[in-house]
Amino acid sequence: MPTEKPRFTIILNDELFEKVEDFRFENRYPSRSAAAIDLIRLGLEAVEKQNKNKKK
């Protein structure tokens, strides 16, 4: 069943790919996409927090 959500492709080197896979399996994500989405969300939250701290 196709999704209506936006999609994009990323290309990773072997080292980064393995880190994503390790994160996925250590945290029991059902798919690589689910793990990548959470990693992106966590990274964006960290950047937002860092930017807030710089403005103080």
Side-chain angles (χ1 to χ4, degrees), residues 31-49:
S31 67
R32 192 174 292 135
S33 291
I37 288 167
D38 236 16
L39 284 167
I40 291 167
R41 183 186 55 75
L42 290 166
L44 289 171
E45 287 174 358
V47 168
E48 288 172 4
K49 183 177 179 180

Side-chain angles (χ1 to χ4, degrees), residues 4-5 16 21 24 26-27 30-31 35 44 50:
E4 297 293 323
K5 296 178 183 177
L16 191 52
E21 287 291 274
R24 173 188 175 195
E26 288 169 6
N27 295 281
S31 67
L44 289 171
Q50 186 178 36

Side-chain angles (χ1 to χ4, degrees), residues 7-34:
R7 295 182 284 169
F8 68 97
T9 302
I10 59 170
I11 299 170
L12 307 173
N13 62 31
D14 291 338
E15 181 182 351
L16 191 52
F17 179 79
E18 286 302 319
K19 287 181 179 184
V20 172
E21 287 291 274
D22 290 345
F23 177 82
R24 173 188 175 195
F25 288 109
E26 288 169 6
N27 295 281
R28 298 176 165 240
Y29 283 90
S31 67
R32 192 174 292 135
S33 291

